[in-house]
Amino acid sequence: MAKVIVIDPGHGGLDPGAVGNGLQEKDVTLAIAQRASYFLRQYGADVRLTRAGDRTFSTDKHADLNARAEFANNAQAAYFVSIHINAGGGSGFESYVMTGMADEEAGRRQNIMHREVAEAFEKAGLPDRGKKTANFAVLRLTNMPAILLECGFIDRDEDATLLRNRTFIDSIAEAIARGAAKAMGIFSSPLVDNPSPNQPQVISKYYKDITPGMEWAAASVDKLFERGIMRGDGQGNFRPFDKMTRLEAAVALNHAIEYVLKQLGR
């Protein structure tokens, strides 16, 4: 049975997280998490996202953080990776494990994960701010080894320019996937760049069930994802042949309206 890894895109819904340079933390963390989950599944991991769209478990911050940890605990996850974007002065990448856990299994995995992600930041010219510890709720309340990643500073021009660059987002997502796979001991198989003839070729940047024969729609599906209008199931599937419920239609239409209004500056 594949090991369950929970990826937690920080913030969401009415909680934008840090804001700066036209970016919102909740959007960037979700983009990184979706791509990291795509890469990590290629190592054979069972990846679950605490959120697959612009939502939270609760509008109450305390309840939301508790629910994210509970989600991972209920999934009996083997690893919990929370993704955030920093603010408040500074630049670069830093990682956190629970206070007192630096010499435990969480600390061992932090060493591996931090090395992979820090290298991706350094290649882009951003500094490694180091491995740290903190008493964050999602680190304290999860039953499995957990890590929180602060991936750049949204209020610094140089960091923000990279955070809106798809190639940079992919490099960070790949590093997170590689770090998690190494930390979990499932890195023996490389990323599947050339699937075997028995495996459907994936033609979407985000969904494994968008396959040959769907080329006419693949770019539109990816654009809807990038604009936050339609999301998949959080497990790397778009479900292209499923019927849309009235609830799902309402959410998609609302996201589309919000996107248009945002472009108009309203």
Side-chain angles (χ1 to χ4, degrees):
M1 182 180 295
K3 296 179 179 179
V4 175
I5 298 175
V6 169
I7 299 182
D8 173 44
H11 307 281
L14 297 176
D15 175 16
V19 177
N21 291 292
L23 296 173
Q24 297 186 87
E25 181 178 2
K26 66 175 183 177
D27 297 327
V28 183
T29 60
L30 185 58
I32 295 172
Q34 287 278 7
R35 290 298 281 159
S37 67
Y38 168 79
F39 293 124
L40 191 48
R41 288 188 182 103
Q42 295 183 52
Y43 291 115
D46 179 353
V47 186
R48 319 279 178 88
L49 272 69
T50 57
R51 65 180 181 96
D54 187 15
R55 57 175 292 276
T56 54
F57 288 95
S58 172
T59 54
D60 178 79
K61 186 67 174 177
H62 179 73
D64 180 58
L65 293 173
N66 286 349
R68 291 172 192 253
E70 185 178 4
F71 176 93
N73 293 338
N74 289 340
Q76 297 184 314
Y79 200 23
F80 180 88
V81 181
S82 189
I83 300 174
H84 287 260
I85 310 298
N86 229 327
S91 175
F93 165 73
E94 59 194 23
S95 68
Y96 291 85
V97 295
M98 179 63 190
T99 301
M101 298 296 290
D103 295 325
E104 305 293 336
E105 177 61 17
R108 183 192 72 80
R109 296 185 188 185
Q110 181 187 30
N111 291 337
I112 297 170
M113 175 72 81
H114 189 96
R115 181 168 58 248
E116 295 293 333
V117 182
E119 182 177 336
F121 271 84
E122 289 173 334
K123 285 181 178 178
L126 299 183
D128 174 4
R129 294 171 57 86
K131 294 174 288 186
K132 303 179 181 181
T133 64
N135 187 25
F136 294 142
V138 292
L139 302 180
R140 182 177 66 253
L141 300 174
T142 42
N143 294 336
M144 70 294 304
I147 190 168
L148 187 144
L149 310 175
E150 290 281 6
C151 299
F153 280 72
I154 204 166
D155 55 351
R156 182 174 182 266
D157 291 346
E158 291 82 353
D159 291 42
T161 296
L162 288 169
L163 290 171
R164 62 167 55 91
N165 181 288
R166 177 58 55 183
T167 300
F168 180 70
I169 292 295
D170 269 5
S171 72
I172 299 307
E174 286 190 64
I176 291 172
R178 192 165 54 248
K182 288 183 176 180
M184 296 294 296
I186 58 173
F187 187 68
S188 56
S189 298
L191 290 173
V192 182
D193 293 323
N194 298 302
S196 71
N198 294 326
Q199 294 176 301
Q201 180 185 357
V202 177
I203 58 176
S204 165
K205 291 188 289 185
Y206 307 104
Y207 303 110
K208 61 189 177 184
D209 57 353
I210 301 297
T211 54
M214 304 179 192
E215 288 86 354
W216 61 277
S220 294
V221 167
D222 284 354
K223 281 294 184 183
L224 287 174
F225 168 84
E226 291 169 357
R227 291 168 177 167
I229 296 171
M230 288 184 70
R231 301 290 188 179
D233 63 357
Q235 310 301 316
N237 300 300
F238 184 70
R239 301 176 298 157
F241 300 113
D242 284 8
K243 292 181 179 179
M244 177 181 283
T245 67
R246 290 171 65 86
L247 289 173
E248 290 172 327
V251 171
L253 286 171
N254 184 59
H255 286 170
I257 291 168
E258 289 178 343
Y259 175 79
V260 171
L261 292 176
K262 185 176 180 180
Q263 298 307 303
L264 294 174
R266 299 179 183 177

